[in-house]
Amino acid sequence: MFKKVISLVMCTALAAGLVSCSADSRNTDSDKISVVTTIFPQYDFVRQIAGENVQLTMLLKPGSESHTYEPTPQDIVKINECDLFIYNGGEGDAWVDSILESADNSVNTLAMMDCVETVEEEIVEGMEAEEEESGEPELDEHVWTSPENAVKIVECIADRLCEADAENAGKYRENTKKYVEELNNLDSRFKEIVSESSTNTMLFGDRFPFRYFADTYKINYYAAFPGCSSESEPSASTIAFLIDKVNDEKIPAVFTIEFSNKKIAETISESTGAEILEFHSCHNITSEDMKNGETYISIMNRNADNLQKAFQLTK
C-alpha cells in the first residue's frame, strides 16, 4: 500500500507538469468527445452505446491483471483531459481519488458502483479470507457481473454521454435501447438455465468475483478465495473442503476464472473427476480477444454455455 501511495504521488506530480505543458489539448485532433475507462466492462458498454462517435480509451492493457494496475503519468494526463472518465469505484480504485484531488480542472466522472445497489464481499463456508487492514468488510466491486446490473450501468453511462455530447444524443438513446434488449435476453437465458436445472450450486477452484451474479440468479457457491483476494495458494484445509463438497454434493464441474493458472481446479479435478470449466468475469480480456471483437455479451453467453453444461451434467 505504501509503495502504491508513493508511486501515485510521483505520477501525479509528473502528470501535473505534463498537463501544464499541454495547454488545453482536449479534442484538438477530433470533434469527438473523449471517454476514458479503467477496465473492460465500461469500455465495452461505451462501445455499444456510442460506437465510433467518441474517442475511447481503456487504461488497463488487454491481458493485464486489474488488481495490480497502477496509473502511469500518461494515464493521468488522459484522465485530466477527457470529457468523461468512467471507473469502477471501491477500494480497488482508491488511486482515483488522489488523481481527481490533484486535477487542475474538474473532471467529469462516473463510478459504476454508484449506478447500482452494492453488497459487501461475502465469505462463505470453506473460503479463505484475507485480513482487512481496516477490520471492516469491503464492498464487492464486481457489480457488472449481473446482466441486471449491467442494464442499470449502461443506462447511467448513456445519460452521461448524452449530457457530454447532446448532438449525438439521439443515436446514443437508440443504441442504448437495442443494447438493453440484448442484455435482457442474456438475463432471460441465465434465468432459464437455472430454472430448468436440478441444481443451483457452483464450485470455484479459484477466486469468486460473482457475488452479484449469484445473488441475481439465486445460485449457491463455494470457492477458494473471495473476488479481490491477492492470495493464490490455498491451505490444505481449503483444498480438502472443496474436494469433499464435490464428492458429497456430486458437483460435476469445477470452475476457474480468466487468466487463472488452474492449479487449484486441477487438484480438485484429479481427486474427484470433476470437469474444469471457465466462468469469465469480464474484468479484462486478452489482446487476441480484443482483436477478435469479443464483447461483454459474447463472453457472458460463453459463461451461459458452460453453466448450462455444468448444470445438465447433474441430471
Side-chain angles (χ1 to χ4, degrees):
M1 178 61 71
F2 288 113
K3 180 180 178 183
K4 193 163 188 174
V5 170
I6 293 172
S7 176
L8 279 173
V9 171
M10 293 177 64
C11 284
T12 304
L14 287 169
L18 290 172
V19 171
S20 64
C21 292
S22 68
D24 187 7
S25 59
R26 181 180 299 185
N27 295 333
T28 55
D29 298 328
S30 172
D31 291 332
K32 300 177 181 179
I33 64 169
S34 171
V35 180
V36 174
T37 69
T38 53
I39 56 178
F40 180 72
Q42 320 127 350
Y43 175 84
D44 189 50
F45 294 158
V46 174
R47 280 196 305 185
Q48 305 308 319
I49 298 168
E52 298 182 354
N53 290 301
V54 302
Q55 290 181 316
L56 181 59
T57 300
M58 184 173 78
L59 297 182
L60 183 67
K61 304 303 180 186
S64 299
E65 168 56 54
S66 60
H67 295 98
T68 58
Y69 166 79
E70 292 187 26
T72 66
Q74 291 76 19
D75 290 341
I76 298 173
V77 171
K78 291 175 183 176
I79 293 170
N80 273 287
E81 295 185 348
C82 73
D83 295 288
L84 177 61
F85 174 50
I86 307 173
Y87 62 107
N88 192 46
E91 188 68 23
D93 278 351
W95 57 270
V96 171
D97 293 335
S98 299
I99 292 174
L100 297 181
E101 288 172 3
S102 63
D104 290 339
N105 57 292
S106 179
V107 180
N108 185 15
T109 66
L110 174 64
M112 289 200 297
M113 290 180 69
D114 291 341
C115 300
V116 301
E117 184 176 346
T118 55
V119 296
E120 292 180 353
E121 195 164 60
E122 184 178 41
I123 306 300
V124 298
E125 182 185 9
M127 182 184 286
E128 292 193 24
E130 290 184 297
E131 185 176 346
E132 303 297 341
E133 293 181 7
S134 63
E136 298 178 358
E138 293 182 7
L139 292 177
D140 193 307
E141 300 175 11
H142 307 89
V143 291
W144 64 86
T145 56
S146 160
E148 286 187 359
N149 275 357
V151 169
K152 296 175 183 177
I153 294 167
V154 163
E155 290 174 341
C156 285
I157 292 175
D159 287 342
R160 290 298 186 90
L161 287 173
C162 290
E163 291 172 6
D165 184 15
E167 184 177 344
N168 288 305
K171 296 178 183 177
Y172 299 154
R173 294 297 183 195
E174 182 180 352
N175 291 342
T176 299
K177 182 178 179 181
K178 292 178 182 177
Y179 188 51
V180 166
E181 289 179 1
E182 292 184 55
L183 291 171
N184 286 334
N185 289 337
L186 180 64
D187 173 55
S188 297
R189 185 182 178 198
F190 279 118
K191 287 177 178 174
E192 183 178 3
I193 291 170
V194 174
S195 66
E196 294 181 352
S197 175
S198 59
T199 184
N200 68 336
T201 299
M202 301 177 72
L203 186 140
F204 280 72
D206 219 316
R207 299 198 305 266
F208 186 81
F210 300 101
R211 170 75 193 278
Y212 295 94
F213 178 88
D215 285 357
T216 297
Y217 303 109
K218 297 179 174 56
I219 291 174
N220 298 322
Y221 66 92
Y222 302 103
F225 305 106
C228 286
S229 175
S230 60
E231 298 293 332
S232 59
E233 296 295 332
S235 65
S237 61
T238 294
I239 292 290
F241 174 86
L242 294 173
I243 289 173
D244 288 344
K245 278 297 177 185
V246 170
N247 289 327
D248 293 345
E249 300 189 17
K250 295 180 174 55
I251 298 173
V254 54
F255 285 96
T256 62
I257 62 173
E258 70 279 8
F259 305 149
S260 171
N261 61 24
K262 300 184 180 180
K263 289 182 179 179
I264 304 173
E266 288 171 353
T267 298
I268 296 170
S269 177
E270 289 170 2
S271 299
T272 64
E275 183 173 352
I276 298 175
L277 298 172
E278 182 182 87
F279 210 79
H280 200 300
S281 75
C282 301
H283 217 144
N284 195 13
I285 61 175
T286 65
S287 297
E288 183 178 359
D289 284 343
M290 185 69 83
K291 291 178 182 177
N292 291 337
E294 292 286 2
T295 66
Y296 177 87
I297 293 285
S298 67
I299 293 170
M300 291 297 281
N301 268 314
R302 283 205 306 275
N303 285 345
D305 291 340
N306 283 340
L307 183 66
Q308 185 172 24
K309 183 176 184 180
F311 280 7
Q312 283 182 343
L313 288 172
T314 64
K315 292 184 177 181

